[in-house]
Amino acid sequence: MSVETQKFTLDLPNAFAELDPLIDFLRGAQSKAVEIDCSNTKVMPSRCLQLLLSAEQQWRSEEVGFAVTNINDTCRKSLTMLGLEPTRFVDEETA
């Protein structure tokens, strides 16, 4: 039985963009594999990053796939400034 991955495009044009769509998506996708596409994310605010890291930890503790894809260089710099490896979410597929 294959479980279809739930996909979500994170659209953050600036640091003050609303995170409710991401929160709603994560709530609705619990216990399902997820892929969050950051190709429309211009900047990664710390509160968004905290949300992603928390969700990643929860999904992995449940042994469900969690991936963050298409992170651009600007967002990678945000990761570095927040003390994480710039490659933190690079093509990590876990299940």
Side-chain angles (χ1 to χ4, degrees):
M1 181 178 103
S2 73
V3 178
E4 189 172 324
T5 299
Q6 304 293 304
K7 299 193 180 203
F8 179 79
T9 300
L10 186 59
D11 192 3
L12 296 177
N14 60 59
F16 305 103
E18 194 51 64
L19 293 179
D20 286 348
L22 174 60
I23 293 166
D24 292 343
F25 166 76
L26 290 171
R27 280 192 185 128
Q30 285 184 336
S31 302
K32 299 175 186 143
V34 299
E35 179 181 318
I36 298 167
D37 179 347
C38 292
S39 54
N40 289 348
T41 303
K42 304 289 181 258
V43 65
M44 181 74 72
S46 59
R47 59 200 175 94
C48 178
L49 183 59
Q50 288 172 331
L51 190 61
L52 290 174
L53 291 171
S54 173
E56 177 188 46
Q57 186 174 21
Q58 180 180 338
W59 261 251
R60 293 196 176 161
S61 73
E62 296 173 9
E63 298 185 349
V64 182
F66 186 90
V68 179
T69 61
N70 300 317
I71 301 174
N72 65 33
D73 289 341
T74 308
C75 288
R76 294 217 177 277
K77 285 182 182 136
S78 299
L79 293 176
T80 305
M81 288 191 311
L82 294 166
L84 294 165
E85 292 294 320
T87 55
R88 178 66 179 83
F89 290 111
V90 173
D91 299 328
E92 286 187 19
E93 266 298 346
T94 58

